[in-house]
Amino acid sequence: MDANGKDELKIPLLEPSDAVVLDIKSVRNVDHGVRTITFKIGGMECASCSTSIESVLQELNGVESAIVSALQGQAVVKYVPELVGVKAIKEAVEDAGFEVTEFSEQDIAVCRLKINGMMCTSCSESVERALSMVEGVKKAVVGLALEEAKVNYDPNVINTDRIVEAVEDAGFGAELIGSGNDGNKVHIKLEGIVSPDDMNMIKSSLESLNGVNHVEIDMEECKVTVGYDPDLTGSRSLIQFIQESCHYQASLYVPERRYETEKNHEIKLYRNQFLWSCLFSVPLLMFSMVLPMIPPYGNWLNYKLQNMLTVGMVLRWILCTPVQFIIGKRFYVGSYHALRRKSANMDVLVALGTNAAYFYSVYTIIKALISDAFEGQDFFETSTMLISFILLGKYLESIAKGKTSDALAKLTDLAPDTACLLTMDNNGNVISETEISSQLIQKNDVLKIFPGSKFPVDGVIIDGHGYVNESMITGEAIPIAKSTGDRVIGGTVNENGCLLIKVTHIGSETALSQIVQIVEAAQLARAPVQKLADQISRFFVPAVVAAAIVTWLAWYIPGALGLYPKSWIPKAMDEFELALQFGISVLVVACPCALGLATPTAVMVATGKGATQGVLIKGGNALEKAHKVNTIVFDKTGTLTVGKPEVVSAVPFSEISMEELCNLAIAVEANSEHPIAKAIVEHAKHRLPDHKSQISNNSIVKDFEEHPGAGVGCKVGDRTVFVGNKKLMRLSNVPVDPEIENYFSDNEKLARTCVIVAVDGKVVGAFAVTDPVKPEAAHVISFLRSMNVNSIMVTGDNWSTATAIAKEVGIEYVFAEIDPLGKADRIKDLQARGKIVAMVGDGINDSPALVAANVGMAIGAGTDVAIEAADIVLIKSNLEDVITAIDLSRKTIARIHLNYVWALGYNILGMPIAAGVLFPFTGIRLPPWLAGALMAASSISVVCSSLLLQTYKKPFTYSK
């Protein structure tokens, strides 16, 4: 680990990732600045290939940075579109002799919208449909429970204002949450602004700065928002620039958290509407049901004003009207927009039911006014109580839905608000200590972390040692020892010891931000099991309206014809009124909302809970696939084993000296990133403490080449050297003598890996390397077996070592001596035999297998949680999290199925009862106001059912 935080520490831990990923990610800040494009490159064989491609790209005028990964076969290029086009970038790579795939010349920008007014699945589908029909929109995904939309669009065709307008035209409220990369933004409050020209001058000055991507100004509030590249500038530098160059007072401004503010506003709105409705509905209920039975008040309420019109009827009309048309206005607005887009939702059902009750009641008043013999009953209390109960249900539902994202809120709150910044001289001596806001931290800052304090951002320790509690990120309760050179994660706690860290990642690049992004994307993604609710929602409301009409006719026509006894009709009612009550009850008891919330609320809680346990599940699709897994394929090195190989013996097999053997091994293996190569280099250096003095012109390495799954080869001076396994020796036509075979056999029985060193076609020595098995491995394999999950090991190591490791952990089936692509082929073979396969690997050289598997699990991600090939990312290297991932997915899918039982059960049982099926036999009928209460209860019960996932406990915890 480089304590200076260079090289790999500069690479963002997470490229912009979500569940709405297109094959090509070209993310652009919509208005100005630098764009980023990601594409695949074929034909890269080693690190030198990626280096040469980077050099070619960086020579192009307009390319600000280029990062090429040979392992992932991927390039990330930041460029200025005014200076260089994507076509020129593609041609430059192809001219260098490499194949470019998955490349698009079309810019794709991403924006997120907050959607207001969605009630059920049909609403979210309507928003998606409205967005998808807009020219320039490539993909749109709308989350009902999250109340957000993520839109991929072409910024050359459409802008965010038009996207917001499209949502509003569909009858929903929309507000832009963010576009492009919002993680690296700073909000600045300005003082001393006199005119708009001052703001425009500041904007122009900021846009001219290197590293500034875009600038937004708020004239009224005198605020400016600046998006920047953290590798080139920082928030403190921008504020300092405004103060020194523009001569205005500038300070950091921290805006309110949008989600919390809006959620609290929604809860308060429903609460106030419910209380206002109670102000009218409670007196109305007293006037209609309670006071008429009390003699003095009953006589007064029954006093006739004109013909059969009574005081009570007029009072009930007066009290009902504000509830129906003012407090209940939202149902009319929702119905209008739903019908305008030729769909129907819960608002339509409520509006139909309450209007039927209200306007029939108005008819009875008119009839009573003009007739001296009319005797009819009004239903004003039905309309009012129905609206009140629905508002109560929405109020309780909004509270419960707010709790589904509690885990995510806790993650975002982990980072502290302030940090201690050190100013140091050229000799590394501390000049001053300053407490600053965490949002003012810049890359390469040196921070002082006191015992008991949280790390504000990601960094690397440059001085001090102590124990760090990472349980809030990884779920690991035991503090981890950290010392100089170790990475630390923002949001974790320094248990003891004073540490100095150098900042490596800020803003959206920190591990904590990446985790939040993954969880947010997962919560927005639609699980396949959601299709059931989507299909039902298409015909649900029309079917309910038809059922209500049939119910009314089924009671009214037989009643008018005298086909059922008059005794069935309650006093003060006639056949029409009884039939109307049954019809209204059918309309309002049916609830499409509960169906729409069954899946997304469970996914929200599960993904949030998993994140707090160190298990990042990338959406409902991953959850659904993981619960079906019956076979798990484990990689060996770093997965079943500790992943830190150690050389236990080194033997020269010819007249070469041990000193020369070690020098050769160091010269060759120093160019490899493989863990075994690093172990050999470390062992050789330990044997040769004065190694540096041994290097001469004869040790210069040329033509270095990696052979995946076999080893490496190169020229050291004039000699051809191969370092690897027996497979490499066979490929290189290097004979392996019986003496060497015996050495191999003896060590492989002890689960050791042997590495041969060959010079000019002759074996000159070998190293025996061991990688200890993780202590919990055998217990995890045994527990998986009890869950009816079979375990298989796949490795590039030799058969003897692989068999010994498998026997030690209890795995029966082994695939050995297989390269990375061969692992993917083995997984496909298992799938062809009907197995649902999960692959557990480190996410780098196992990427082909992770992609091929039904579920890819990247284990030991640590701070590098941005493993795109994986469906599930396990932050720790602990195998017990594999059990947690599968068990959590099974419990979540079971909870979703239970939610559907609740949601469908209410409708399947409630609608026949509301239609009066039991009335002829038992006299039980469901009044409309009670039907409305049951409808509200169905949504609340589904959300509360999902919230029970918050109590999830790991089924297995290994204790030493």
Side-chain angles (χ1 to χ4, degrees):
M1 175 63 62
D2 185 356
N4 293 322
K6 297 179 180 177
D7 301 329
E8 76 275 6
L9 297 182
K10 290 184 177 180
I11 301 173
L13 296 180
L14 180 66
E15 295 302 326
S17 175
D18 47 50
V20 196
V21 177
L22 299 180
D23 289 337
I24 299 304
K25 302 181 289 294
S26 179
V27 181
R28 166 191 168 173
N29 292 314
V30 180
D31 299 317
H32 308 281
V34 181
R35 301 182 196 175
T36 302
I37 189 166
T38 304
F39 53 91
K40 297 289 185 181
I41 300 178
M44 291 191 294
E45 297 179 351
C46 59
S48 61
C49 296
S50 60
T51 304
S52 62
I53 295 173
E54 287 180 358
S55 301
V56 168
L57 290 172
Q58 288 169 351
E59 287 176 0
L60 293 175
N61 182 32
V63 171
E64 293 211 344
S65 68
I67 299 171
V68 180
S69 170
L71 285 172
Q72 295 178 326
Q74 182 171 284
V76 180
V77 182
K78 292 184 178 181
Y79 66 101
V80 180
E82 287 77 12
L83 301 177
V84 64
V86 290
K87 187 176 181 181
I89 294 172
K90 178 182 178 183
E91 290 175 350
V93 177
E94 290 175 337
D95 291 343
F98 298 92
E99 180 186 1
V100 177
T101 59
E102 297 186 13
F103 189 93
S104 173
E105 297 184 13
Q106 185 180 53
D107 292 326
I108 300 297
V110 180
C111 70
R112 291 171 59 215
L113 304 176
K114 176 69 176 176
I115 309 295
N116 299 315
M118 292 192 298
M119 304 289 288
C120 56
T121 306
S122 63
C123 296
S124 61
E125 285 191 330
S126 297
V127 176
E128 276 190 14
R129 196 159 47 244
L131 287 170
S132 300
M133 291 173 64
V134 178
E135 184 182 3
V137 171
K138 302 304 173 186
K139 190 167 186 178
V141 173
V142 179
L144 174 63
L146 204 59
E147 296 178 340
E148 284 187 13
K150 185 163 284 189
V151 185
N152 292 269
Y153 65 98
D154 184 352
N156 299 314
V157 178
I158 191 174
N159 57 25
T160 53
D161 291 337
R162 178 68 188 90
I163 293 173
V164 169
E165 185 181 331
V167 177
E168 291 174 342
D169 287 345
F172 300 91
E175 185 178 356
L176 184 67
I177 297 176
S179 59
N181 182 7
D182 293 308
N184 297 315
K185 272 188 176 182
V186 60
H187 304 272
I188 302 172
K189 176 73 174 176
L190 303 173
E191 296 180 10
I193 302 296
V194 178
S195 67
D197 292 338
D198 295 341
M199 293 291 289
N200 290 325
M201 184 271 291
I202 292 174
K203 180 181 179 181
S204 301
S205 300
L206 287 170
E207 287 176 340
S208 67
L209 290 178
N210 186 30
V212 172
N213 295 331
H214 65 279
V215 181
E216 300 170 7
I217 58 174
D218 184 343
M219 294 285 190
E220 294 182 1
E221 299 289 335
C222 294
K223 295 172 185 173
V224 60
T225 302
V226 185
Y228 62 91
D229 184 343
D231 287 324
L232 302 175
T233 187
S235 50
R236 288 202 317 279
S237 300
L238 294 170
I239 292 174
Q240 185 179 356
F241 172 80
I242 294 173
Q243 291 175 334
E244 295 180 357
S245 300
C246 301
H247 308 292
Y248 292 97
Q249 288 296 315
S251 59
L252 179 69
Y253 164 70
V254 181
E256 291 184 3
R257 291 185 180 177
R258 188 189 302 268
Y259 180 81
E260 289 182 4
T261 303
E262 291 177 350
K263 183 56 64 178
N264 291 334
H265 174 72
E266 180 186 15
I267 292 172
K268 188 176 179 181
L269 177 65
Y270 279 125
R271 185 198 65 190
N272 291 343
Q273 287 183 338
F274 169 66
L275 292 177
W276 275 108
S277 69
C278 287
L279 185 65
F280 295 94
S281 60
V282 171
L284 193 153
L285 188 66
M286 297 290 290
F287 288 148
S288 63
M289 294 186 177
V290 179
L291 294 180
M293 294 185 290
I294 302 175
Y297 304 105
N299 296 333
W300 177 69
L301 289 172
N302 290 325
Y303 178 76
K304 295 177 181 178
L305 297 174
Q306 177 71 29
N307 289 332
M308 302 302 290
L309 181 65
T310 65
V311 172
M313 294 173 71
V314 174
L315 288 175
R316 289 193 291 272
W317 186 19
I318 292 171
L319 289 170
C320 177
T321 302
V323 177
Q324 181 71 34
F325 296 107
I326 299 176
I327 298 174
K329 177 184 174 182
R330 61 188 309 279
F331 300 112
Y332 287 100
V333 173
S335 300
Y336 166 74
H337 289 298
L339 295 173
R340 197 185 69 169
R341 57 179 182 265
K342 298 179 181 179
S343 65
N345 57 12
M346 192 198 79
D347 290 333
V348 174
L349 295 178
V350 174
L352 282 174
T354 56
N355 278 329
Y358 179 84
F359 286 107
Y360 176 76
S361 300
V362 172
Y363 163 77
T364 61
I365 284 184
I366 296 172
K367 192 78 173 175
L369 179 65
I370 62 177
S371 173
D372 58 359
F374 176 75
E375 291 186 4
Q377 182 182 5
D378 63 79
F379 298 131
F380 286 122
E381 79 283 352
T382 296
S383 169
T384 309
M385 294 300 294
L386 184 57
I387 291 174
S388 298
F389 272 114
I390 290 172
L391 290 174
L392 174 61
K394 298 303 291 183
Y395 168 57
L396 296 175
E397 181 187 321
S398 62
I399 293 175
K401 281 169 63 179
K403 293 185 181 296
T404 60
S405 56
D406 276 356
L408 189 60
K410 289 177 182 176
L411 283 173
T412 56
D413 288 338
L414 284 177
D417 295 328
T418 60
C420 181
L421 175 68
L422 300 184
T423 304
M424 309 183 79
D425 61 19
N426 294 332
N427 297 322
N429 299 315
V430 177
I431 300 174
S432 64
E433 297 183 8
T434 309
E435 185 173 303
I436 63 170
S437 168
S438 296
Q439 296 194 22
L440 294 177
I441 296 173
Q442 300 184 175
K443 277 193 175 181
N444 296 319
D445 280 346
V446 176
L447 305 178
K448 185 175 184 179
I449 311 298
F450 297 98
S453 299
K454 291 181 179 180
F455 295 92
V457 291
D458 294 356
V460 61
I461 298 174
I462 60 174
D463 186 50
H465 57 86
Y467 286 86
V468 176
N469 183 355
E470 298 182 344
S471 61
M472 59 290 299
I473 301 292
T474 65
E476 179 60 62
I478 301 173
I480 300 170
K482 300 278 186 177
S483 58
T484 302
D486 288 335
R487 284 188 177 189
V488 291
I489 306 173
T492 57
V493 179
N494 177 24
E495 294 282 354
N496 60 1
C498 189
L499 304 176
L500 301 187
I501 68 166
K502 191 167 190 176
V503 176
T504 56
H505 300 95
I506 63 170
S508 62
E509 296 178 0
T510 64
L512 188 59
S513 294
Q514 294 169 45
I515 291 171
V516 171
Q517 288 174 49
I518 288 176
V519 174
E520 284 180 340
Q523 293 178 350
L524 189 61
R526 182 177 280 117
V529 72
Q530 175 76 14
K531 290 178 182 177
L532 173 63
D534 295 344
Q535 291 168 354
I536 293 174
S537 69
R538 292 189 180 97
F539 62 83
F540 186 87
V541 174
V544 170
V545 174
I549 294 172
V550 169
T551 299
W552 177 75
L553 292 174
W555 280 99
Y556 175 63
I557 294 174
L561 297 176
L563 297 180
Y564 59 77
K566 294 290 184 181
S567 59
W568 286 10
I569 303 174
K571 291 181 180 180
M573 276 194 192
D574 58 19
E575 297 87 354
F576 180 87
E577 293 168 345
L578 179 64
L580 183 64
Q581 284 240 348
F582 282 126
I584 293 172
S585 294
V586 170
L587 275 176
V588 297
V589 79
C591 182
C593 299
L595 280 171
L597 293 171
T599 297
T601 53
V603 170
M604 283 182 70
V605 177
T607 51
K609 186 66 177 179
T612 62
Q613 303 282 349
V615 178
L616 301 183
I617 302 170
K618 296 184 178 180
N621 190 29
L623 270 171
E624 187 161 351
K625 290 189 295 183
H627 99 280
K628 299 177 182 177
V629 166
N630 53 27
T631 302
I632 296 185
V633 176
F634 290 94
D635 180 42
K636 179 179 76 71
T637 305
T639 303
L640 291 172
T641 63
V642 174
K644 293 183 179 179
E646 297 177 355
V647 176
V648 291
S649 73
V651 179
F653 284 114
S654 65
E655 307 205 351
I656 190 173
S657 66
M658 178 61 73
E659 181 180 344
E660 189 175 357
L661 176 64
C662 291
N663 274 317
L664 279 172
I666 293 170
V668 177
E669 295 286 54
N671 296 280
S672 174
E673 292 296 316
H674 197 283
I676 291 179
K678 292 181 178 180
I680 291 173
V681 171
E682 186 178 345
H683 176 79
K685 286 184 176 180
H686 181 70
R687 286 210 169 195
L688 298 174
D690 58 340
H691 165 67
K692 291 183 180 179
S693 64
Q694 305 294 324
I695 295 179
S696 63
N697 291 332
N698 293 328
S699 298
I700 296 174
V701 175
K702 295 181 294 183
D703 302 330
F704 181 84
E705 184 179 5
E706 288 191 10
H707 300 270
V712 297
C714 64
K715 286 274 191 180
V716 180
D718 297 328
R719 295 179 291 180
T720 301
V721 181
F722 291 100
V723 181
N725 55 23
K726 285 190 286 187
K727 178 181 178 182
L728 180 62
M729 298 302 118
R730 286 196 300 270
L731 292 173
S732 307
N733 297 318
V734 176
V736 179
D737 297 335
E739 179 187 5
I740 302 165
E741 290 282 5
N742 291 335
Y743 178 78
F744 262 72
S745 177
D746 293 341
N747 281 283
E748 287 171 353
K749 290 176 182 177
L750 301 173
R752 295 173 180 173
T753 300
C754 293
V755 179
I756 301 173
V757 180
V759 177
D760 293 332
K762 182 180 179 182
V763 175
V764 298
F767 295 88
V769 182
T770 184
D771 188 4
V773 172
K774 290 179 179 177
E776 76 275 9
H779 299 276
V780 169
I781 301 301
S782 175
F783 196 91
L784 286 171
R785 193 176 296 114
S786 70
M787 297 172 65
N788 296 319
V789 177
N790 297 320
S791 299
I792 296 173
M793 187 177 79
V794 61
T795 178
D797 212 337
N798 62 78
W799 274 101
S800 298
T801 302
T803 304
I805 294 290
K807 185 177 180 180
E808 185 176 348
V809 300
I811 292 179
E812 297 179 5
Y813 301 101
V814 180
F815 298 117
E817 298 181 7
I818 296 176
D819 60 23
L821 293 177
K823 294 178 182 179
D825 293 335
R826 293 298 180 276
I827 287 174
K828 291 175 183 176
D829 292 341
L830 290 168
Q831 291 169 333
R833 284 153 45 190
K835 303 291 185 182
I836 307 298
V837 184
M839 171 69 193
V840 183
D842 60 16
I844 302 173
N845 60 343
D846 294 317
S847 291
L850 289 171
V851 172
N854 299 93
V855 180
M857 296 188 189
I859 192 170
T863 55
D864 185 16
V865 298
I867 300 173
E868 294 181 10
D871 300 294
I872 298 174
V873 179
L874 311 177
I875 296 179
K876 294 179 294 179
S877 292
N878 201 324
L879 284 171
E880 66 186 46
D881 286 344
V882 175
I883 296 173
T884 302
I886 294 176
D887 185 66
L888 179 59
S889 67
R890 289 181 177 181
K891 284 187 167 56
T892 303
I893 298 300
R895 182 62 56 179
I896 290 172
H897 291 159
L898 180 61
N899 287 349
Y900 277 130
V901 170
W902 278 108
L904 290 171
Y906 270 102
N907 290 299
I908 293 172
L909 295 177
M911 286 181 66
I913 295 173
V917 170
L918 299 179
F919 185 67
F921 312 104
T922 63
I924 296 174
R925 67 186 177 91
L926 207 60
W929 64 269
L930 183 56
L934 287 176
M935 183 192 71
S938 65
S939 294
I940 298 168
S941 65
V942 165
V943 177
C944 290
S945 172
S946 296
L947 283 174
L948 289 176
L949 286 171
Q950 291 278 24
T951 63
Y952 175 80
K953 302 291 183 185
K954 287 186 176 183
F956 173 81
T957 303
Y958 174 73
S959 56
K960 298 179 182 179

